[in-house]
PDB file of all heavy atoms in Angstrom:
ATOM      1  N   GLN A   1       0.834  -1.209   0.000  1.00 90.00           N
ATOM      2  CA  GLN A   1       0.000   0.000   0.000  1.00 90.00           C
ATOM      3  C   GLN A   1       0.867   1.256   0.000  1.00 90.00           C
ATOM      4  O   GLN A   1       0.554   2.245  -0.685  1.00 90.00           O
ATOM      5  CB  GLN A   1      -0.932   0.003   1.218  1.00 90.00           C
ATOM      6  CG  GLN A   1      -1.906  -1.169   1.277  1.00 90.00           C
ATOM      7  CD  GLN A   1      -2.832  -1.229   0.071  1.00 90.00           C
ATOM      8  OE1 GLN A   1      -3.152  -0.221  -0.552  1.00 90.00           O
ATOM      9  NE2 GLN A   1      -3.246  -2.433  -0.279  1.00 90.00           N
ATOM     10  N   GLN A   2       1.969   1.218   0.719  1.00 84.00           N
ATOM     11  CA  GLN A   2       2.923   2.337   0.710  1.00 84.00           C
ATOM     12  C   GLN A   2       3.514   2.510  -0.682  1.00 84.00           C
ATOM     13  O   GLN A   2       3.684   3.633  -1.169  1.00 84.00           O
ATOM     14  CB  GLN A   2       4.034   2.070   1.726  1.00 84.00           C
ATOM     15  CG  GLN A   2       5.146   3.117   1.746  1.00 84.00           C
ATOM     16  CD  GLN A   2       6.292   2.705   2.655  1.00 84.00           C
ATOM     17  OE1 GLN A   2       6.128   1.902   3.572  1.00 84.00           O
ATOM     18  NE2 GLN A   2       7.470   3.240   2.400  1.00 84.00           N
ATOM     19  N   GLY A   3       3.811   1.382  -1.333  1.00 79.00           N
ATOM     20  CA  GLY A   3       4.372   1.437  -2.674  1.00 79.00           C
ATOM     21  C   GLY A   3       3.418   2.060  -3.672  1.00 79.00           C
ATOM     22  O   GLY A   3       3.835   2.759  -4.600  1.00 79.00           O
ATOM     23  N   LEU A   4       2.115   1.812  -3.505  1.00 71.00           N
ATOM     24  CA  LEU A   4       1.126   2.427  -4.387  1.00 71.00           C
ATOM     25  C   LEU A   4       1.155   3.946  -4.266  1.00 71.00           C
ATOM     26  O   LEU A   4       0.946   4.666  -5.242  1.00 71.00           O
ATOM     27  CB  LEU A   4      -0.270   1.902  -4.055  1.00 71.00           C
ATOM     28  CG  LEU A   4      -0.534   0.424  -4.394  1.00 71.00           C
ATOM     29  CD1 LEU A   4      -1.903  -0.005  -3.876  1.00 71.00           C
ATOM     30  CD2 LEU A   4      -0.442   0.195  -5.894  1.00 71.00           C
ATOM     31  N   ARG A   5       1.437   4.426  -3.060  1.00 74.00           N
ATOM     32  CA  ARG A   5       1.496   5.882  -2.846  1.00 74.00           C
ATOM     33  C   ARG A   5       2.813   6.465  -3.344  1.00 74.00           C
ATOM     34  O   ARG A   5       2.840   7.557  -3.921  1.00 74.00           O
ATOM     35  CB  ARG A   5       1.320   6.197  -1.359  1.00 74.00           C
ATOM     36  CG  ARG A   5      -0.041   5.813  -0.786  1.00 74.00           C
ATOM     37  CD  ARG A   5      -0.227   6.385   0.609  1.00 74.00           C
ATOM     38  NE  ARG A   5       0.773   5.901   1.553  1.00 74.00           N
ATOM     39  CZ  ARG A   5       0.638   4.795   2.291  1.00 74.00           C
ATOM     40  NH1 ARG A   5      -0.457   4.048   2.169  1.00 74.00           N
ATOM     41  NH2 ARG A   5       1.580   4.423   3.128  1.00 74.00           N
ATOM     42  N   GLU A   6       3.916   5.746  -3.142  1.00 73.00           N
ATOM     43  CA  GLU A   6       5.236   6.301  -3.440  1.00 73.00           C
ATOM     44  C   GLU A   6       5.761   5.909  -4.817  1.00 73.00           C
ATOM     45  O   GLU A   6       6.759   6.461  -5.271  1.00 73.00           O
ATOM     46  CB  GLU A   6       6.233   5.861  -2.366  1.00 73.00           C
ATOM     47  CG  GLU A   6       5.877   6.377  -0.967  1.00 73.00           C
ATOM     48  CD  GLU A   6       6.939   6.031   0.049  1.00 73.00           C
ATOM     49  OE1 GLU A   6       8.023   5.543  -0.349  1.00 73.00           O
ATOM     50  OE2 GLU A   6       6.701   6.248   1.254  1.00 73.00           O
ATOM     51  N   GLY A   7       5.120   4.945  -5.469  1.00 72.00           N
ATOM     52  CA  GLY A   7       5.492   4.631  -6.843  1.00 72.00           C
ATOM     53  C   GLY A   7       6.422   3.459  -7.032  1.00 72.00           C
ATOM     54  O   GLY A   7       6.812   3.164  -8.158  1.00 72.00           O
ATOM     55  N   PHE A   8       6.806   2.769  -5.968  1.00 75.00           N
ATOM     56  CA  PHE A   8       7.666   1.596  -6.156  1.00 75.00           C
ATOM     57  C   PHE A   8       6.808   0.334  -6.126  1.00 75.00           C
ATOM     58  O   PHE A   8       5.663   0.344  -5.675  1.00 75.00           O
ATOM     59  CB  PHE A   8       8.763   1.526  -5.087  1.00 75.00           C
ATOM     60  CG  PHE A   8       8.256   1.329  -3.675  1.00 75.00           C
ATOM     61  CD1 PHE A   8       7.976   0.066  -3.174  1.00 75.00           C
ATOM     62  CD2 PHE A   8       8.067   2.422  -2.836  1.00 75.00           C
ATOM     63  CE1 PHE A   8       7.515  -0.114  -1.890  1.00 75.00           C
ATOM     64  CE2 PHE A   8       7.614   2.256  -1.542  1.00 75.00           C
ATOM     65  CZ  PHE A   8       7.338   0.982  -1.063  1.00 75.00           C
ATOM     66  N   GLY A   9       7.375  -0.756  -6.631  1.00 81.00           N
ATOM     67  CA  GLY A   9       6.605  -1.991  -6.709  1.00 81.00           C
ATOM     68  C   GLY A   9       7.412  -3.196  -6.280  1.00 81.00           C
ATOM     69  O   GLY A   9       8.641  -3.224  -6.402  1.00 81.00           O
ATOM     70  N   LEU A  10       6.712  -4.210  -5.765  1.00 88.00           N
ATOM     71  CA  LEU A  10       7.317  -5.492  -5.438  1.00 88.00           C
ATOM     72  C   LEU A  10       6.927  -6.508  -6.499  1.00 88.00           C
ATOM     73  O   LEU A  10       5.828  -6.458  -7.043  1.00 88.00           O
ATOM     74  CB  LEU A  10       6.835  -5.986  -4.072  1.00 88.00           C
ATOM     75  CG  LEU A  10       7.220  -5.175  -2.832  1.00 88.00           C
ATOM     76  CD1 LEU A  10       6.627  -5.824  -1.583  1.00 88.00           C
ATOM     77  CD2 LEU A  10       8.727  -5.063  -2.698  1.00 88.00           C
ATOM     78  N   GLU A  11       7.820  -7.418  -6.793  1.00 90.00           N
ATOM     79  CA  GLU A  11       7.510  -8.538  -7.679  1.00 90.00           C
ATOM     80  C   GLU A  11       7.742  -9.820  -6.913  1.00 90.00           C
ATOM     81  O   GLU A  11       8.853 -10.069  -6.421  1.00 90.00           O
ATOM     82  CB  GLU A  11       8.380  -8.503  -8.930  1.00 90.00           C
ATOM     83  CG  GLU A  11       8.104  -9.671  -9.867  1.00 90.00           C
ATOM     84  CD  GLU A  11       8.951  -9.636 -11.127  1.00 90.00           C
ATOM     85  OE1 GLU A  11       9.801  -8.727 -11.245  1.00 90.00           O
ATOM     86  OE2 GLU A  11       8.766 -10.517 -11.975  1.00 90.00           O
ATOM     87  N   LEU A  12       6.713 -10.646  -6.781  1.00 95.00           N
ATOM     88  CA  LEU A  12       6.815 -11.901  -6.059  1.00 95.00           C
ATOM     89  C   LEU A  12       7.016 -13.038  -7.050  1.00 95.00           C
ATOM     90  O   LEU A  12       6.203 -13.234  -7.961  1.00 95.00           O
ATOM     91  CB  LEU A  12       5.549 -12.148  -5.232  1.00 95.00           C
ATOM     92  CG  LEU A  12       5.199 -11.076  -4.192  1.00 95.00           C
ATOM     93  CD1 LEU A  12       3.933 -11.456  -3.441  1.00 95.00           C
ATOM     94  CD2 LEU A  12       6.348 -10.861  -3.222  1.00 95.00           C
ATOM     95  N   ILE A  13       8.099 -13.758  -6.884  1.00 93.00           N
ATOM     96  CA  ILE A  13       8.414 -14.907  -7.730  1.00 93.00           C
ATOM     97  C   ILE A  13       8.265 -16.156  -6.873  1.00 93.00           C
ATOM     98  O   ILE A  13       8.778 -16.213  -5.751  1.00 93.00           O
ATOM     99  CB  ILE A  13       9.840 -14.790  -8.292  1.00 93.00           C
ATOM    100  CG1 ILE A  13       9.913 -13.591  -9.250  1.00 93.00           C
ATOM    101  CG2 ILE A  13      10.259 -16.074  -8.997  1.00 93.00           C
ATOM    102  CD1 ILE A  13      11.304 -13.263  -9.709  1.00 93.00           C
ATOM    103  N   VAL A  14       7.537 -17.152  -7.379  1.00 94.00           N
ATOM    104  CA  VAL A  14       7.183 -18.320  -6.586  1.00 94.00           C
ATOM    105  C   VAL A  14       7.991 -19.536  -7.023  1.00 94.00           C
ATOM    106  O   VAL A  14       8.132 -19.822  -8.218  1.00 94.00           O
ATOM    107  CB  VAL A  14       5.672 -18.623  -6.714  1.00 94.00           C
ATOM    108  CG1 VAL A  14       5.306 -19.860  -5.901  1.00 94.00           C
ATOM    109  CG2 VAL A  14       4.855 -17.434  -6.243  1.00 94.00           C
ATOM    110  N   ASP A  15       8.522 -20.247  -6.032  1.00 92.00           N
ATOM    111  CA  ASP A  15       9.191 -21.521  -6.283  1.00 92.00           C
ATOM    112  C   ASP A  15       9.130 -22.331  -4.996  1.00 92.00           C
ATOM    113  O   ASP A  15       8.716 -21.825  -3.949  1.00 92.00           O
ATOM    114  CB  ASP A  15      10.647 -21.303  -6.727  1.00 92.00           C
ATOM    115  CG  ASP A  15      11.193 -22.459  -7.553  1.00 92.00           C
ATOM    116  OD1 ASP A  15      10.629 -23.577  -7.463  1.00 92.00           O
ATOM    117  OD2 ASP A  15      12.181 -22.277  -8.276  1.00 92.00           O
ATOM    118  N   ASP A  16       9.557 -23.578  -5.070  1.00 90.00           N
ATOM    119  CA  ASP A  16       9.623 -24.410  -3.879  1.00 90.00           C
ATOM    120  C   ASP A  16      10.589 -23.796  -2.870  1.00 90.00           C
ATOM    121  O   ASP A  16      11.584 -23.171  -3.249  1.00 90.00           O
ATOM    122  CB  ASP A  16      10.097 -25.824  -4.276  1.00 90.00           C
ATOM    123  CG  ASP A  16      10.085 -26.787  -3.118  1.00 90.00           C
ATOM    124  OD1 ASP A  16       9.055 -27.431  -2.875  1.00 90.00           O
ATOM    125  OD2 ASP A  16      11.125 -26.890  -2.440  1.00 90.00           O
ATOM    126  N   GLN A  17      10.296 -23.992  -1.572  1.00 87.00           N
ATOM    127  CA  GLN A  17      11.103 -23.355  -0.538  1.00 87.00           C
ATOM    128  C   GLN A  17      12.564 -23.805  -0.546  1.00 87.00           C
ATOM    129  O   GLN A  17      13.438 -23.105  -0.046  1.00 87.00           O
ATOM    130  CB  GLN A  17      10.511 -23.625   0.855  1.00 87.00           C
ATOM    131  CG  GLN A  17      10.397 -25.083   1.249  1.00 87.00           C
ATOM    132  CD  GLN A  17       9.048 -25.666   0.888  1.00 87.00           C
ATOM    133  OE1 GLN A  17       8.210 -25.003   0.282  1.00 87.00           O
ATOM    134  NE2 GLN A  17       8.819 -26.915   1.278  1.00 87.00           N
ATOM    135  N   ASP A  18      12.836 -24.983  -1.144  1.00 87.00           N
ATOM    136  CA  ASP A  18      14.213 -25.444  -1.239  1.00 87.00           C
ATOM    137  C   ASP A  18      14.935 -24.867  -2.450  1.00 87.00           C
ATOM    138  O   ASP A  18      16.148 -25.064  -2.594  1.00 87.00           O
ATOM    139  CB  ASP A  18      14.255 -26.973  -1.323  1.00 87.00           C
ATOM    140  CG  ASP A  18      13.717 -27.639  -0.057  1.00 87.00           C
ATOM    141  OD1 ASP A  18      13.787 -27.015   1.013  1.00 87.00           O
ATOM    142  OD2 ASP A  18      13.211 -28.773  -0.155  1.00 87.00           O
ATOM    143  N   PHE A  19      14.209 -24.158  -3.327  1.00 90.00           N
ATOM    144  CA  PHE A  19      14.801 -23.674  -4.577  1.00 90.00           C
ATOM    145  C   PHE A  19      14.774 -22.155  -4.723  1.00 90.00           C
ATOM    146  O   PHE A  19      15.391 -21.619  -5.643  1.00 90.00           O
ATOM    147  CB  PHE A  19      14.082 -24.309  -5.777  1.00 90.00           C
ATOM    148  CG  PHE A  19      14.302 -25.796  -5.885  1.00 90.00           C
ATOM    149  CD1 PHE A  19      13.497 -26.678  -5.186  1.00 90.00           C
ATOM    150  CD2 PHE A  19      15.320 -26.307  -6.665  1.00 90.00           C
ATOM    151  CE1 PHE A  19      13.694 -28.049  -5.268  1.00 90.00           C
ATOM    152  CE2 PHE A  19      15.521 -27.678  -6.763  1.00 90.00           C
ATOM    153  CZ  PHE A  19      14.709 -28.547  -6.056  1.00 90.00           C
ATOM    154  N   THR A  20      14.050 -21.448  -3.850  1.00 92.00           N
ATOM    155  CA  THR A  20      14.040 -19.982  -3.943  1.00 92.00           C
ATOM    156  C   THR A  20      15.438 -19.398  -3.783  1.00 92.00           C
ATOM    157  O   THR A  20      15.751 -18.344  -4.338  1.00 92.00           O
ATOM    158  CB  THR A  20      13.108 -19.383  -2.863  1.00 92.00           C
ATOM    159  OG1 THR A  20      13.465 -19.929  -1.580  1.00 92.00           O
ATOM    160  CG2 THR A  20      11.654 -19.697  -3.157  1.00 92.00           C
ATOM    161  N   HIS A  21      16.282 -20.099  -3.038  1.00 93.00           N
ATOM    162  CA  HIS A  21      17.652 -19.635  -2.812  1.00 93.00           C
ATOM    163  C   HIS A  21      18.435 -19.565  -4.118  1.00 93.00           C
ATOM    164  O   HIS A  21      19.337 -18.723  -4.268  1.00 93.00           O
ATOM    165  CB  HIS A  21      18.343 -20.578  -1.818  1.00 93.00           C
ATOM    166  CG  HIS A  21      19.492 -19.975  -1.094  1.00 93.00           C
ATOM    167  ND1 HIS A  21      20.791 -20.384  -1.298  1.00 93.00           N
ATOM    168  CD2 HIS A  21      19.554 -18.983  -0.171  1.00 93.00           C
ATOM    169  CE1 HIS A  21      21.596 -19.687  -0.527  1.00 93.00           C
ATOM    170  NE2 HIS A  21      20.882 -18.826   0.160  1.00 93.00           N
ATOM    171  N   ASP A  22      18.106 -20.450  -5.060  1.00 92.00           N
ATOM    172  CA  ASP A  22      18.796 -20.423  -6.354  1.00 92.00           C
ATOM    173  C   ASP A  22      18.512 -19.126  -7.102  1.00 92.00           C
ATOM    174  O   ASP A  22      19.381 -18.602  -7.816  1.00 92.00           O
ATOM    175  CB  ASP A  22      18.359 -21.615  -7.215  1.00 92.00           C
ATOM    176  CG  ASP A  22      18.831 -22.940  -6.644  1.00 92.00           C
ATOM    177  OD1 ASP A  22      19.798 -22.932  -5.871  1.00 92.00           O
ATOM    178  OD2 ASP A  22      18.220 -23.977  -6.964  1.00 92.00           O
ATOM    179  N   TRP A  23      17.290 -18.588  -6.971  1.00 92.00           N
ATOM    180  CA  TRP A  23      16.955 -17.323  -7.617  1.00 92.00           C
ATOM    181  C   TRP A  23      17.834 -16.198  -7.064  1.00 92.00           C
ATOM    182  O   TRP A  23      18.267 -15.306  -7.805  1.00 92.00           O
ATOM    183  CB  TRP A  23      15.478 -16.989  -7.381  1.00 92.00           C
ATOM    184  CG  TRP A  23      14.526 -17.864  -8.123  1.00 92.00           C
ATOM    185  CD1 TRP A  23      14.107 -19.112  -7.775  1.00 92.00           C
ATOM    186  CD2 TRP A  23      13.872 -17.565  -9.357  1.00 92.00           C
ATOM    187  NE1 TRP A  23      13.221 -19.604  -8.708  1.00 92.00           N
ATOM    188  CE2 TRP A  23      13.059 -18.675  -9.690  1.00 92.00           C
ATOM    189  CE3 TRP A  23      13.873 -16.459 -10.202  1.00 92.00           C
ATOM    190  CZ2 TRP A  23      12.267 -18.711 -10.827  1.00 92.00           C
ATOM    191  CZ3 TRP A  23      13.080 -16.502 -11.342  1.00 92.00           C
ATOM    192  CH2 TRP A  23      12.304 -17.615 -11.646  1.00 92.00           C
ATOM    193  N   LEU A  24      18.099 -16.243  -5.759  1.00 92.00           N
ATOM    194  CA  LEU A  24      18.959 -15.236  -5.137  1.00 92.00           C
ATOM    195  C   LEU A  24      20.393 -15.389  -5.623  1.00 92.00           C
ATOM    196  O   LEU A  24      21.057 -14.405  -5.967  1.00 92.00           O
ATOM    197  CB  LEU A  24      18.896 -15.382  -3.610  1.00 92.00           C
ATOM    198  CG  LEU A  24      19.621 -14.314  -2.791  1.00 92.00           C
ATOM    199  CD1 LEU A  24      18.877 -12.985  -2.856  1.00 92.00           C
ATOM    200  CD2 LEU A  24      19.767 -14.762  -1.335  1.00 92.00           C
ATOM    201  N   ARG A  25      20.878 -16.611  -5.678  1.00 89.00           N
ATOM    202  CA  ARG A  25      22.259 -16.870  -6.099  1.00 89.00           C
ATOM    203  C   ARG A  25      22.490 -16.401  -7.535  1.00 89.00           C
ATOM    204  O   ARG A  25      23.557 -15.876  -7.866  1.00 89.00           O
ATOM    205  CB  ARG A  25      22.567 -18.361  -5.979  1.00 89.00           C
ATOM    206  CG  ARG A  25      23.991 -18.735  -6.413  1.00 89.00           C
ATOM    207  CD  ARG A  25      24.234 -20.234  -6.346  1.00 89.00           C
ATOM    208  NE  ARG A  25      24.164 -20.732  -4.982  1.00 89.00           N
ATOM    209  CZ  ARG A  25      23.166 -21.445  -4.487  1.00 89.00           C
ATOM    210  NH1 ARG A  25      22.128 -21.751  -5.257  1.00 89.00           N
ATOM    211  NH2 ARG A  25      23.191 -21.867  -3.254  1.00 89.00           N
ATOM    212  N   GLN A  26      21.493 -16.572  -8.386  1.00 88.00           N
ATOM    213  CA  GLN A  26      21.637 -16.208  -9.789  1.00 88.00           C
ATOM    214  C   GLN A  26      21.390 -14.726 -10.055  1.00 88.00           C
ATOM    215  O   GLN A  26      21.493 -14.285 -11.199  1.00 88.00           O
ATOM    216  CB  GLN A  26      20.669 -17.048 -10.627  1.00 88.00           C
ATOM    217  CG  GLN A  26      20.994 -18.529 -10.624  1.00 88.00           C
ATOM    218  CD  GLN A  26      19.920 -19.376 -11.276  1.00 88.00           C
ATOM    219  OE1 GLN A  26      19.036 -18.856 -11.960  1.00 88.00           O
ATOM    220  NE2 GLN A  26      19.971 -20.679 -11.070  1.00 88.00           N
ATOM    221  N   GLY A  27      21.045 -13.968  -9.016  1.00 87.00           N
ATOM    222  CA  GLY A  27      20.837 -12.533  -9.186  1.00 87.00           C
ATOM    223  C   GLY A  27      19.464 -12.164  -9.691  1.00 87.00           C
ATOM    224  O   GLY A  27      19.202 -11.003  -9.983  1.00 87.00           O
ATOM    225  N   GLU A  28      18.551 -13.148  -9.797  1.00 88.00           N
ATOM    226  CA  GLU A  28      17.213 -12.861 -10.302  1.00 88.00           C
ATOM    227  C   GLU A  28      16.380 -12.069  -9.300  1.00 88.00           C
ATOM    228  O   GLU A  28      15.471 -11.334  -9.682  1.00 88.00           O
ATOM    229  CB  GLU A  28      16.486 -14.169 -10.649  1.00 88.00           C
ATOM    230  CG  GLU A  28      17.137 -14.983 -11.753  1.00 88.00           C
ATOM    231  CD  GLU A  28      16.786 -14.452 -13.134  1.00 88.00           C
ATOM    232  OE1 GLU A  28      16.049 -13.457 -13.224  1.00 88.00           O
ATOM    233  OE2 GLU A  28      17.272 -15.034 -14.124  1.00 88.00           O
ATOM    234  N   VAL A  29      16.658 -12.260  -8.001  1.00 92.00           N
ATOM    235  CA  VAL A  29      15.905 -11.572  -6.960  1.00 92.00           C
ATOM    236  C   VAL A  29      16.877 -10.957  -5.961  1.00 92.00           C
ATOM    237  O   VAL A  29      18.056 -11.318  -5.902  1.00 92.00           O
ATOM    238  CB  VAL A  29      14.934 -12.532  -6.233  1.00 92.00           C
ATOM    239  CG1 VAL A  29      13.913 -13.110  -7.205  1.00 92.00           C
ATOM    240  CG2 VAL A  29      15.687 -13.650  -5.517  1.00 92.00           C
ATOM    241  N   LEU A  30      16.347 -10.036  -5.147  1.00 92.00           N
ATOM    242  CA  LEU A  30      17.162  -9.384  -4.124  1.00 92.00           C
ATOM    243  C   LEU A  30      16.963 -10.001  -2.747  1.00 92.00           C
ATOM    244  O   LEU A  30      17.725  -9.716  -1.821  1.00 92.00           O
ATOM    245  CB  LEU A  30      16.827  -7.886  -4.061  1.00 92.00           C
ATOM    246  CG  LEU A  30      17.287  -7.074  -5.264  1.00 92.00           C
ATOM    247  CD1 LEU A  30      16.711  -5.660  -5.202  1.00 92.00           C
ATOM    248  CD2 LEU A  30      18.809  -7.011  -5.316  1.00 92.00           C
TER     249      LEU A  30
END
């Protein structure tokens, strides 16, 4: 809701809990 006011956005990427770490390692997510 704060982002809607200030103009920034979140992007949620879904994967298995054992594999989300790979997205971080590859630089796809912060």
Side-chain angles (χ1 to χ4, degrees):
Q1 299 300 332
Q2 176 187 337
L4 291 174
R5 296 190 299 271
E6 297 185 9
F8 64 85
L10 295 179
E11 179 179 3
L12 301 181
I13 294 172
V14 179
D15 205 339
D16 185 89
Q17 59 268 4
D18 296 333
F19 293 86
T20 52
H21 203 248
D22 293 338
W23 289 81
L24 186 72
R25 179 183 295 106
Q26 294 171 14
E28 297 280 0
V29 299
L30 290 171

